């Protein structure tokens, strides 16, 4: 979340960029790049504009990569389950951000009061900004930890149950993730 507000470089909060960073830090190209490509393709046609908040693909990706790093050599059945179960986390992150933005309207009122009263008021703009960034960091980290813990618990419970059956592949998941972007092409403006 801080990459959207504190320093917006555009590419920093993209799942593919985060997957590259994860690969550099862990010295393992897979499954990070494949998962990053999945989440990038899934929400390729959605971007923040105006009041629209797209799903937090980075939140889902980081939770997925954390869970896959905690599991001892997960097969693709477990990986696909973790990826699919992480999708609601992205929408939950967008919902929390929307609720936080509505709550921040109180800070706007505090800023107006500060402007009318002068420097002696405790609600100065720099304090409001740092407070908001701290709150966003705490909210994002708590949501990430709760989501990753829930995903890890589900993956560990489901791992023995998924021992047999069809083994999905990353290209199968990528094709499924491309649905929204391909459907967006049917619009003349796209």
């Amino acid at each position: 979340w801080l990459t959207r507000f504190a320093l917006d470089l555009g590419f920093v909060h993209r799942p593919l960029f985060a997957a590259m960073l994860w690969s550099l830090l862990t010295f393992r190209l897979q499954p990070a790049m494949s998962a990053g490509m999945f989440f990038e393709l899934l929400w390729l046609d959605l971007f923040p504009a105006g009041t629209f908040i797209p799903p937090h693909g980075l939140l889902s990706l980081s939770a997925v990569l954390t869970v896959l790093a905690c599991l001892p050599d997960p097969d693709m059945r477990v990986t696909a389950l973790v990826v699919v179960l992480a999708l609601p986390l992205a929408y939950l992150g967008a919902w929390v951000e929307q609720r936080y933005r509505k709550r921040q309207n109180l800070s706007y009122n505090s800023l107006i009061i500060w402007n009318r009263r002068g420097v002696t008021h405790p609600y100065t703009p720099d304090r409001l900004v740092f407070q908001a960034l701290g709150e966003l960091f705490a909210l994002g980290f708590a949501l990430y930890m709760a989501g990753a813990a829930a995903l890890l618990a589900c993956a560990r419970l489901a791992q023995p149950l998924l021992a047999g059956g069809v083994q999905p592949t990353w290209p199968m998941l990528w094709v499924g993730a491309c649905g929204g972007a391909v459907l967006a092409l049917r619009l003349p403006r796209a």
Side-chain angles (χ1 to χ4, degrees):
W1 278 333
L2 292 181
T3 60
R4 286 190 189 194
F5 299 108
L7 180 67
D8 187 13
L9 296 177
F11 62 88
V12 173
H13 60 271
R14 301 303 303 182
L16 201 53
F17 181 79
M20 282 189 259
L21 285 180
W22 184 279
S23 296
L24 287 173
L25 292 174
T26 60
F27 301 108
R28 291 184 60 207
L29 199 57
Q30 294 300 332
M33 292 305 294
S34 294
M37 192 177 307
F38 173 82
F39 287 110
E40 189 73 39
L41 289 171
L42 187 63
W43 294 301
L44 186 63
D45 58 332
L46 302 177
F47 55 92
T51 59
F52 174 69
I53 301 171
H56 284 267
L58 192 58
L59 181 61
S60 291
L61 173 69
S62 57
V64 164
L65 294 179
T66 301
V67 168
L68 292 179
C70 292
L71 293 174
D73 197 29
D75 65 352
M76 273 307 293
R77 288 181 287 267
V78 174
T79 301
L81 178 71
V82 169
V83 167
V84 169
L85 289 179
L87 294 178
L89 189 59
Y91 291 99
L92 180 62
W95 181 80
V96 167
E97 183 179 337
Q98 182 68 34
R99 300 294 299 168
Y100 183 76
R101 285 185 183 187
K102 288 181 180 178
R103 187 186 155 284
Q104 281 302 96
N105 289 338
L106 299 174
S107 293
Y108 176 72
N109 294 337
S110 301
L111 184 61
I112 289 174
I113 292 170
W114 169 82
N115 193 21
R116 290 182 183 156
R117 292 186 182 173
V119 181
T120 59
H121 199 273
Y123 293 109
T124 58
D126 57 340
R127 180 176 289 185
L128 289 175
V129 168
F130 288 125
Q131 179 183 347
L133 290 176
E135 289 172 354
L136 277 172
F137 177 77
L139 273 173
F141 187 71
L143 191 58
Y144 159 74
M145 290 300 288
L151 280 175
L152 185 60
C154 288
R156 288 203 171 141
L157 287 173
Q159 203 166 13
L161 301 173
L162 297 174
V166 178
Q167 181 89 324
T169 62
W170 280 112
M172 293 167 88
L173 292 174
W174 295 336
V175 167
C178 287
V182 170
L183 289 175
L185 292 176
R186 66 192 162 108
L187 301 173
R189 289 178 30 208

